[in-house]
Amino acid sequence: MNIAAKPPLTIRLCGPRGFCAGVDRAIQIVVLALKAYGAPVYVRHEIVHNRYVVEGLEAKGAVFVEELDEIPAEHRAQPVVFSAHGVPKSVPEDANARNLFYLDATCPLVSKVHKQAMRHNRLGRHVVLIGHAGHPEVIGTMGQLPEGTVSLIETVEDADVYQPDDPDNLGYVTQTTLSVDDTAGVIKRLEERFPKLQAPAADSICYATTNRQEVVKEAAPGCDLFIIVGAPNSSNSKRLVEVALRAGAKKSILVQRASELDWDEIGPIATLGLSAGASAPEVIVNEIIEAFRTRFDARVELAETVQENEHFLVNRELRSLELTTADMAFVNGE
């Protein structure tokens, strides 16, 4: 019996992809806290926007809560970790009032945006925050400053109708995970309307967001399909889908696991682009490559623009503990 040959497929695998230094650090903090203090370790909000990561940490003994009042009295000596997205100032204040021991896993680049916003405020400027309403990072950034001192702008249309009390005294910051191109358009419109608008001391969109978007732009032309591994509530992952389409991919989809792939819908393809948002683990990228290899004679070629070597230290309380390859195998693979 003749078995039909698998159709050829070129997979353009983007680099850099997947975990950024801030996400890696946040996950390490939870893993090390479990080693140091034992289960349960509480985590306020998803540590990063990825269900696979959350479930992996739950299996190790992490308990995820939305608010601190969900932590039972008998566990108040156990640590609670604040997510990589950052939290309003009211959250550590609440933790202190409840005598909770907390570890802050806020990405250092998000903390940098907080400081930029506070600097604008300290210099008497009203802060314009470019970002997505309701995103945890936006809530955290707005929560660094007194109510009424920050205005949220999401789109160029918002920038068109924005009416500040003092147009000559504005400073802007942005969410770290936005589309570089979209954000440039919003900033351009704001600067046209408010020539004295002050920029932050350094770019707010983080290096990892920029790098992942740039390599997707390079890889997308000629792709029949572009898959982004990531969660539907991951801002940077959703932006990568949009970037792939704008850059020339015929189709682009967001996938959390290989099991979500609809092979009938995918159909016959010759070139596949593949990347992952900054919260997506490498084990799922490998899982998706293997799923295509079962149906195609797949050849993987690396589309790489830069190499990332950033590393952020974990909290001082955890630095003496050893973090092994086995500790992180649930997200990085063996």
Side-chain angles (χ1 to χ4, degrees), residues 226-250:
F226 213 109
I227 291 176
I228 304 298
V229 181
N233 60 341
S234 166
S235 174
N236 77 88
S237 299
K238 290 195 290 186
R239 301 294 81 76
L240 289 175
V241 173
E242 297 164 0
V243 167
L245 287 171
R246 288 180 188 173
K250 292 178 185 174

Side-chain angles (χ1 to χ4, degrees), residues 17-67:
R17 64 183 176 277
F19 283 177
C20 61
V23 164
D24 212 26
R25 172 181 179 267
I27 296 167
Q28 289 175 15
I29 287 170
V30 180
V31 171
L32 288 170
L34 284 161
K35 287 185 106 171
Y37 305 104
V41 165
Y42 288 87
V43 185
R44 184 188 178 276
H45 190 69
E46 290 187 339
I47 186 69
V48 297
H49 281 158
N50 189 277
R51 175 47 45 187
Y52 180 93
V53 172
V54 168
E55 289 174 355
L57 290 171
E58 284 175 334
K60 289 177 176 289
V63 177
F64 289 83
V65 297
E66 286 304 309
E67 298 300 340

Side-chain angles (χ1 to χ4, degrees), residues 296-329:
F296 294 87
D297 179 16
R299 178 174 61 90
V300 177
E301 54 181 48
L302 184 63
E304 187 174 59
T305 49
V306 297
Q307 290 191 345
E308 293 175 350
N309 52 20
E310 285 79 4
H311 175 73
F312 298 143
L313 290 173
V314 298
N315 310 65
R316 194 176 306 277
E317 298 94 329
L318 304 173
R319 288 179 198 168
S320 63
L321 278 78
E322 181 188 7
L323 186 76
T324 67
T325 302
D327 290 330
M328 297 294 285

